Amino acid sequence: MSHASTAGDAAVFAEPTAPVKAVWTVNLSLATLAVFMAFMTPIQILLPLQLEHIDPHDKNDALSLVTGLGALVAVLANPLAGAWSDRTTSRFGRRRPWILGGALAGAAGLSITATQHTVAGVAVGWCLAQAGLNAMLAGVTTPIADRVPLTQRAQVAGWTGIMQSFGLVLGALITTLLVTGVRSGYVTLAVLTVALALPFVLRHSEPPLTRALRPAFDARAFARSLWVSPRRHPDFGWAWLTRFLINLGNALGTLYLFYFLADAVHYDDPGTGVLVLTVIYTLCAALTAIPAGVLSDRIGRRKVFVVLCSLVMAAAAVLLATLHTWPSALAAAAVLGAGYGIYLAVDQALVTQVLPEATDRAKDLGVINIANSGPQVLAPALAAPIITHLGGYTGLYATAALVILIGGLLVNRVRGVA
């Protein structure tokens, strides 16, 4: 093996020390914006509108079915794509081929979804979109662990993290103000998904993995690796559970936001209402994410910020549970955004510090990302019966507050991170 090849392999697996430049962060953030815009806008706006037109009497159950099946695909696709990404020996690196390929596949799935006129057809299209977008997600989440040193990690994670909210705002603006119709909304999202991925893919090189050091892929071993033993890696286990519960609470609180505004708040234009709340939420998240990331990097502490964000987010859910008015919804959006901004910056930095193996970063982050997509499977199954049998939207948001609070407190069980 040549000296250059050895140095390249060392760069692939080494803990990063060189600071990344601002343009790198900007372009990774654009790619992250693309994937979350394509994820969140259909869930919050396009799918509810499409399914309400297809099946107005059972729209809640239809939305639960479609989003639940899509999230189930995400649970499988993300770690699988991550494992293949860890083993990719392309001269373009391990992550960029998956970012571009996932963007193209996700765009195709969105375009297929746009043409469907049955619940089953929407479900198939959305599952195809989820498969592609989760391959893209595996590519955009791992560069932070691959390339960003610990002294920058929460700051960069703050910028990429708030793209989740910016993605929904941009998607909502597009689908409510700039284009008309569900189909044109899906197609516009598909085009932007690919376009926003290109700057990072085309401008930033990464060290390729040589075939000599490519880990062998064994299907049975991979299936076993999806279970990262909490006994052997307790910090990883507690970090996963914390993320799962906070995201479950967040999913319970946001999944039926469109219908909450229509049925409980009686807001005249729930689509516009979702947009207004999302803008407020995003602005407040942006105001807290970057300062929290900078402060976390500076003092070298993560867990206290996770606890703080869970308290703030739970307070927002309690507000939604107790008051079903438009002013209270505005206030809750601001509080929830402020809390989630802190969470987005610090939690991603925390989980990159508890990954078991450098050679399996994308796969292990895929397992961590099940804690993002898994709640999307569970939340619809929980939310519909809670609304029906446990006090309507009051019961739903009270449950969300409790789950978020428990998740935030459990982060204290992570011992290897301050």
Side-chain angles (χ1 to χ4, degrees), residues 87-183:
R87 291 157 175 80
T88 298
T89 55
S90 164
R91 63 189 180 91
F92 300 106
R94 295 181 295 168
R95 314 306 180 197
R96 291 186 298 158
W98 289 90
I99 294 174
L100 181 58
L104 291 170
L110 291 171
S111 299
I112 291 170
T113 306
T115 64
Q116 302 306 306
H117 300 286
T118 66
V119 174
V122 172
V124 170
W126 182 238
C127 286
L128 293 173
Q130 282 279 10
L133 293 172
N134 272 276
M136 184 180 179
L137 181 62
V140 300
T141 54
T142 315
I144 292 179
D146 286 341
R147 305 294 299 276
V148 182
L150 285 176
T151 53
Q152 270 188 308
R153 200 164 288 178
Q155 299 174 54
V156 174
W159 284 110
T160 59
I162 61 174
M163 291 303 112
Q164 296 186 31
S165 300
F166 280 134
L168 181 53
V169 169
L170 181 58
L173 287 171
I174 290 168
T175 55
T176 58
L177 299 179
L178 300 182
V179 299
T180 57
V182 170
R183 179 177 296 189

